[in-house]
Amino acid sequence: MPRLKLLGVNVDIMEEDEMMHEIYRLSKLDHPTRIILLDKRLLMSAKFHKELFTIINSADLVIPVSKSIRHGLNFLSKKTYSILPAYRQPILSHFSFAIHLLSYFTEIGQSIYLLGGTKKLMKGAEKNVKDSYPGIKLMGIYHTKYKKDFEQKLLTSIYKIAPNLLLISKKSPKAEYWLSKQKSKLPNGVSVIIEDFIYEIGEKVIKPTDRLRYSIGKKIKSFFAFPFAVIRHFLFTLYLINYKIFNLENKVKKEKYKKEKIKFPKEDKNKKISVINKKKK
C-alpha cells in the first residue's frame, strides 16, 4: 500500500479490494482508528490550519475522493507512480465510497452505527439502508440535531454498542475537529466522516416538501461557496507549481531522514541508481 505525499499531506493509494480489506483490518485493532476522505477542499483547508493538517496526517488511512488529488500526485510524483494498479482504478466519490463500504461490511457480517442528519432524514436513511442491505447489522442510528448536554450520553451509548464501523454524516472539516476531540471516548473500530451521506440516502423517503427545502438549501450553499471554490482551485494550482519548482516534497523527506539520523539516499550519476554513502572505517 503506497503512502504518498501531496503538499505535505498523506495520501494512500490502493485498489478497491485492498482498501476494503485494510478497513476491515483497522476495525479489528484494539484501539479506535479513523479514515479520512481527502478532497481538494479538505486538503486546502489543512494547508491553512495546522491542527487539521496534523489530524489528517495522523489518520490511519487517507483515501483520495476527488480527481484533483490524483492529478496533483501525477504532477508532483515520479512517472513510475502512474503504473500503480490503483492509479488505473476510478476515483470513488464520497457517496460511492459509503455504498461500497456498507456493502462490504454487510457481506462480512460486521456491525455498523450511523450518525448524522436530522430526525426525518435519519428515519429515511434507516429504511433505505435496511431495504438495500438485507441482513445488515445496524446496531444504532442517531441524528446530530441534539442538544450539547446530550452529547456525552450519545458517546457513552456508542461506546457500549462498540460498532465495527461508525459512519458519521457531519459537515467537514468541522466534523474532523469534532471526531479528533472525541477519539478517547470512542470504542475500538473504525470511524469515517462522509458529509452528505445521510441526505443522499435518506432524502427519497422524506416528504416532497422537505425534499424541496433540503434541495433549495443545498443549492443556496453551493452558490455562495462558488467564489471560494474558484479561489481554492487557484491556490491549489499555485501550491502545486511551487512544490514542483522547488522540489518541496523531496525536501520534506530529507528533513525526515535528518531527524531520524539516517543519511538520505543520494543519486549516483555513474551507476544511475540510489546509493547510501557509508562512513569510511
Side-chain angles (χ1 to χ4, degrees), residues 8-260:
V9 174
N10 292 336
V11 184
D12 295 310
I13 298 296
M14 64 189 76
E15 295 181 73
E16 189 180 326
D17 289 343
E18 183 187 1
M19 182 193 304
M20 292 300 155
H21 290 315
E22 178 63 14
I23 294 171
Y24 170 73
R25 185 189 71 80
L26 292 174
S27 73
K28 291 299 181 182
L29 296 179
D30 59 356
H31 58 84
T33 57
R34 67 169 306 181
I35 302 168
I36 297 282
L37 301 186
L38 187 69
D39 58 15
K40 183 167 61 180
R41 184 183 61 158
L42 188 61
L43 173 63
M44 293 312 299
S45 295
K47 293 300 294 180
F48 293 96
H49 298 89
K50 188 175 181 180
E51 184 181 353
L52 181 60
F53 186 91
T54 303
I55 288 171
I56 295 174
N57 276 352
S58 62
D60 300 275
L61 198 59
V62 183
I63 300 172
V65 286
S66 74
K67 291 181 180 179
S68 296
I69 302 299
R70 177 175 288 180
H71 292 160
L73 287 171
N74 280 327
F75 180 72
L76 294 179
S77 303
K78 295 178 181 178
K79 293 181 180 179
T80 50
Y81 288 142
S82 62
I83 66 172
L84 290 169
Y87 263 61
R88 298 195 292 271
Q89 301 295 319
I91 290 285
L92 291 175
S93 66
H94 291 80
F95 184 69
S96 296
F97 173 81
I99 295 301
H100 285 242
L101 192 57
L102 285 177
S103 298
Y104 180 73
F105 268 65
T106 300
E107 287 175 8
I108 61 177
Q110 299 301 294
S111 58
I112 300 166
Y113 193 104
L114 300 181
L115 176 65
T118 63
K119 287 183 179 180
K120 291 180 180 179
L121 281 174
M122 208 27 122
K123 287 180 180 178
E126 183 179 16
K127 184 180 185 305
N128 268 347
V129 166
K130 288 181 177 179
D131 290 345
S132 301
Y133 306 99
I136 188 171
K137 292 180 68 175
L138 192 59
M139 306 301 290
I141 187 166
Y142 207 82
H143 62 88
T144 51
K145 300 298 180 180
Y146 53 79
K147 293 182 179 179
K148 187 66 178 177
D149 58 0
F150 178 75
E151 186 168 271
Q152 186 55 51
K153 292 181 181 179
L154 175 63
L155 292 171
T156 301
S157 175
I158 294 173
Y159 187 86
K160 289 180 179 179
I161 293 171
N164 298 113
L165 171 65
L166 175 59
L167 200 159
I168 304 167
S169 183
K170 294 184 70 174
K171 189 176 181 180
S172 185
K174 186 177 179 180
E176 308 296 346
Y177 292 106
W178 178 84
L179 186 57
S180 178
K181 290 178 181 177
Q182 309 305 335
K183 186 175 181 180
S184 62
K185 301 175 185 177
L186 295 175
N188 297 342
V190 63
S191 302
V192 59
I193 294 167
I194 306 176
E195 186 171 332
D196 291 324
F197 172 69
I198 295 299
Y199 172 79
E200 295 286 350
I201 204 169
E203 61 93 14
K204 292 181 180 179
V205 184
I206 62 177
K207 294 178 181 179
T209 51
D210 291 326
R211 195 182 310 154
L212 179 63
R213 180 164 56 85
Y214 284 118
S215 179
I216 292 173
K218 196 173 181 180
K219 287 179 181 178
I220 291 173
K221 288 179 182 178
S222 298
F223 175 79
F224 284 105
F226 179 74
F228 296 100
V230 173
I231 295 171
R232 191 183 305 120
H233 179 74
F234 172 75
L235 290 175
F236 179 67
T237 304
L238 199 63
Y239 264 106
L240 287 176
I241 294 172
N242 188 46
Y243 268 63
K244 184 75 172 182
I245 292 174
F246 296 103
N247 198 23
L248 295 182
E249 296 288 11
N250 198 39
K251 288 181 180 179
V252 170
K253 290 178 184 177
K254 285 185 178 182
E255 284 299 319
K256 180 181 177 182
Y257 274 90
K258 286 179 181 178
K259 287 179 182 179
E260 295 176 356

